[in-house]
């Protein structure tokens, strides 16, 4: 885990053009800022990714001399992952071809990769996957689930079973309680299912590899 103060922050005000706010990250156990719905989507994906160990928004100011001029840019996110640092810029796909955007991202990539880090430009994800991760994020707070309940669900053989049947795997507990525990285990990657398709009772559960 890492701790850092954003290079710049922003204000919320009535009538603002961008959808900005803060998101409580299970990875960070703290709030992380975002400036748009698309940035929030990237933040959700980072929080869901088990390889991500730390998330910092607006992490630093990059300065470089490009074409004889000093250029400046603040990336959107800095991810600490088990595979190394990743610098992320978030931009709608329709804007990637804009000359200013393409130029900025090109020199940013060169600067980042010269340090041996990875650079990522992230645009709109598949809608079904985003909706599934957004839904599972509602179950990300581990302290809301009794450890005994989670252990009991883990002991049940759910491999290859349907999600709709799995919620009845503990007959002495209410189905909503078991369903919530299963959703948390999906968020925590103790269980997995195909998130490229909308979650449904027919979804097949698998044990984590």
């Amino acid at each position: 885990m890492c701790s850092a103060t954003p290079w710049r922050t922003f204000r919320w005000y009535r009538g603002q053009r961008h959808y900005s706010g803060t998101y409580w990250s299970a990875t960070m156990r703290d709030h992380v800022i975002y400036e748009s719905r698309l940035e929030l989507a990237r933040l959700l994906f980072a929080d869901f990714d088990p390889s991500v160990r730390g998330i910092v928004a607006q992490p630093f100011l990059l300065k470089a001399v490009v074409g004889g001029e000093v250029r400046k840019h603040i990336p959107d996110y800095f991810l600490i992952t088990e595979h190394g640092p990743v610098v992320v810029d978030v931009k709608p796909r329709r804007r990637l071809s804009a000359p200013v955007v393409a130029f900025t991202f090109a020199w940013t990539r060169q600067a980042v990769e010269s340090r041996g880090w990875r650079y990522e430009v992230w645009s709109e994800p598949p809608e079904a996957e985003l909706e599934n991760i957004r839904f599972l994020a509602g179950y990300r707070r581990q302290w809301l689930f009794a450890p005994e309940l989670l252990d009991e669900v883990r002991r049940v053989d759910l491999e290859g079973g349907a999600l709709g049947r799995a919620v009845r795997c503990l007959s002495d507990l209410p189905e909503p309680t078991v369903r919530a525990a299963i959703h948390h285990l999906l968020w925590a990657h103790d269980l997995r299912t195909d998130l490229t398709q909308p979650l449904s009772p027919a979804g097949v559960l698998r044990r984590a590899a």
Side-chain angles (χ1 to χ4, degrees):
M1 187 174 295
C2 59
S3 177
T5 301
W7 181 269
R8 66 180 177 88
T9 57
F10 47 83
R11 297 178 179 178
W12 294 269
Y13 56 90
R14 186 173 183 179
Q16 69 182 23
R17 294 177 58 190
H18 299 290
Y19 182 91
S20 56
T22 60
Y23 165 83
W24 189 88
S25 162
T27 301
M28 298 301 296
R29 294 188 174 273
D30 200 354
H31 287 90
V32 181
I33 62 173
Y34 59 88
E35 289 191 280
S36 68
R37 290 183 184 274
L38 190 57
E39 284 190 20
L40 174 57
R42 183 63 186 95
L43 188 49
L44 284 166
F45 273 71
D47 205 28
F48 183 63
D49 186 344
S51 73
V52 174
R53 302 289 186 257
I55 306 168
V56 181
Q58 311 290 329
F60 45 71
L61 173 67
L62 274 176
K63 295 175 65 175
V65 177
V66 183
E69 295 185 25
V70 175
R71 312 288 180 172
K72 299 179 181 180
H73 177 59
I74 301 174
D76 294 312
Y77 292 112
F78 183 72
L79 308 180
I80 305 297
T81 81
E82 61 185 27
H83 310 297
V86 182
V87 176
V88 182
D89 271 313
V90 176
K91 193 68 67 177
R93 195 168 287 108
R94 69 180 186 279
R95 296 183 57 191
L96 294 180
S97 59
V100 172
V101 173
F103 175 75
T104 299
F105 288 174
W107 72 256
T108 298
R109 179 180 298 279
Q110 185 176 15
V112 169
E113 292 181 349
S114 70
R115 296 186 60 89
W117 297 350
R118 187 158 64 87
Y119 180 63
E120 171 190 285
V121 176
W122 200 84
S123 299
E124 293 84 352
E127 188 62 28
E129 190 174 5
L130 172 59
E131 288 305 312
N132 288 336
I133 292 175
R134 180 182 287 134
F135 172 76
L136 292 177
Y139 301 87
R140 67 189 183 277
R141 296 171 175 84
Q142 185 176 5
W143 70 84
L144 296 179
F145 299 88
E148 298 80 8
L149 168 62
L150 297 178
D151 288 341
E152 199 169 352
V153 175
R154 289 188 186 101
R155 284 194 291 269
V156 178
D157 183 11
L158 300 177
E159 177 68 25
L163 178 58
R165 292 197 303 271
V167 300
R168 299 189 291 273
C169 69
L170 300 176
S171 58
D172 57 329
L173 291 175
E175 287 186 18
T177 299
V178 179
R179 181 182 294 109
I182 290 173
H183 289 156
H184 174 72
L185 293 176
L186 285 168
W187 171 267
H189 299 274
D190 290 333
L191 293 172
R192 58 187 178 87
T193 192
D194 183 6
L195 296 180
T196 66
Q197 301 297 322
L199 282 173
S200 75
V204 176
L205 294 175
R206 300 291 184 189
R207 290 284 184 183

